[in-house]
Amino acid sequence: MNVLRSLRRSPAFTALAVGILALGIAAAAAVLDVVDAAFLRPLPFAEPSRLVTLWQVSGGTDITLDGADFLDWKAQAGAFEEMAAVSARGFTLTGADRPERVEGAIVSGGFFALLGTPPLLGRAVGAGHARTAVLSEPFWRSRFGADPSAVGRTITLDGEPVEVTAVMPARFAYPPAAQVWISARTRVPDHPTYPIDPEHDRVRHYLTVLARLRPGITPAQAGTALQAVQARIAADFPDDERGISARVVPLREQMFGKLRPVLLGLGAVAALLFLVAWANAAHLFLARAIAREHEMAVRVALGATRASMWRRFF
């Protein structure tokens, strides 16, 4: 209580010390929250340790897939329980006062089942001849005012009517910027610009591929199996597939791996800021204690013990 009364008698000093410590703690907490999300917190999907991304490799660089290779991988690579293709793109939403640009993706059948996150509302359906749409929770709240009757409505994307079948919770974010997911008409999402048959094209690479490993299969084992499939494809189509191999990358590593050095650096900076804030606050209290040297001498003369003085200033 004596300490609290002492601090109340010096509001400017107290505010300055608390402010310095608050800035240091806030900076450290903000960075630690990002580090926690990237490295420690489970991804918002079912059994995320079994989720991987699949890439073709050309000249040492990861590249996206074409539609025909995706179907061959899905049919022949038995190391995977499920596989889905994603074509990220923007859509023009019309029907309101003015057109609105919406980031989203066209996804193949099995995409939502593969990731395993239950919808907030409705039912996330797979591919079919009729387009269907799944909305993100933030987009649903901002565009439809969180109205549950949005499920079942028809919206117009790129001039095409699409029925809304579900709303996904805010934690579901793949691709990260997606606000709406549209089902593919066929087994492969169509190309964003070329009017091709995506199921038989081996030239245009535009698909990001997600997969779920079978229980007990490691990414390394899956990579070996996928390499064998890609080798067979290359033998059958040497003109299109020459020099192309395959690679399996855990989903967490794909999402955050490149950020690891940056986040670790930010963590070190946050720790340094906290230490600087603590040292500055400590120096303030030290300066205050020196200014009260006469008071301490009087207290000692009146019988105050060294331990009581330490407790008072600690």
Side-chain angles (χ1 to χ4, degrees):
M1 293 303 294
N2 288 334
V3 173
L4 292 178
R5 283 196 294 269
S6 174
L7 292 176
R8 280 200 297 267
R9 285 196 296 269
S10 306
F13 168 83
T14 302
L16 181 59
V18 170
I20 290 173
L21 288 174
L23 286 174
I25 293 171
V31 173
L32 287 176
D33 185 62
V34 176
V35 172
D36 175 56
F39 302 128
L40 303 176
R41 194 181 308 164
L43 296 176
F45 310 118
E47 297 183 85
S49 62
R50 291 169 54 201
L51 293 174
V52 294
T53 56
L54 310 182
W55 302 90
Q56 289 184 323
V57 182
S58 177
T61 302
D62 290 349
I63 59 174
T64 50
L65 264 70
D66 56 74
D69 285 351
F70 163 67
L71 292 180
D72 286 343
W73 282 14
K74 187 173 183 180
Q76 300 177 41
F80 305 100
E81 193 173 81
E82 183 59 85
M83 197 180 292
V86 180
S87 176
R89 66 186 69 184
F91 301 96
T92 300
L93 175 67
T94 54
D97 295 337
R98 61 172 182 232
E100 179 181 352
R101 188 68 173 173
V102 180
E103 293 301 319
I106 296 180
V107 299
S108 67
F111 171 77
F112 293 101
L114 184 154
L115 292 175
T117 303
L120 187 67
L121 292 173
R123 186 169 66 92
V125 298
H129 293 293
R131 293 279 207 206
T132 57
V134 175
L135 309 180
S136 70
E137 182 181 354
F139 180 69
W140 169 64
R141 293 188 180 279
S142 63
R143 184 68 175 75
F144 296 94
D147 184 357
S149 68
V151 175
R153 290 188 195 176
T154 297
I155 60 176
T156 303
L157 295 171
D158 289 348
E160 181 179 5
V162 183
E163 180 187 358
V164 176
T165 62
V167 176
M168 297 303 293
R171 67 181 185 277
F172 183 91
Y174 192 92
Q179 297 174 285
V180 60
W181 296 267
I182 308 299
S183 63
R185 289 191 183 91
T186 64
R187 294 179 298 169
V188 180
D190 47 289
H191 195 280
T193 56
Y194 292 97
I196 60 173
D197 175 4
E199 296 193 10
H200 297 92
D201 179 77
R202 296 188 188 273
V203 176
R204 294 168 179 85
H205 296 253
Y206 65 99
L207 298 172
T208 300
V209 177
L210 293 172
R212 180 175 291 277
L213 299 173
R214 291 191 182 279
I217 300 294
T218 66
Q221 292 170 330
T224 300
L226 195 62
Q227 285 276 29
V229 173
Q230 180 59 38
R232 290 196 293 269
I233 296 173
D236 292 338
F237 304 94
D239 292 340
D240 297 326
E241 305 287 338
R242 185 179 291 109
I244 294 180
S245 58
R247 193 164 86 98
V248 175
V249 182
L251 181 58
R252 180 182 289 277
E253 180 181 336
Q254 182 65 44
M255 294 177 68
F256 300 113
K258 293 181 179 179
L259 294 176
R260 185 182 300 271
V262 176
L263 292 178
L264 292 177
L266 286 176
V269 171
L272 180 61
L273 285 174
F274 176 74
L275 289 175
V276 169
W278 177 84
N280 286 336
H283 279 91
L284 284 175
F285 278 93
L286 180 61
R288 187 168 182 258
I290 293 174
R292 298 173 62 185
E293 186 176 4
H294 177 71
E295 174 191 340
M296 288 187 285
V298 172
R299 289 179 179 274
V300 170
L302 293 175
T305 64
R306 185 178 296 273
S308 68
M309 298 298 293
W310 273 110
R311 283 197 302 270
R312 181 175 187 83
F313 287 100
F314 180 74

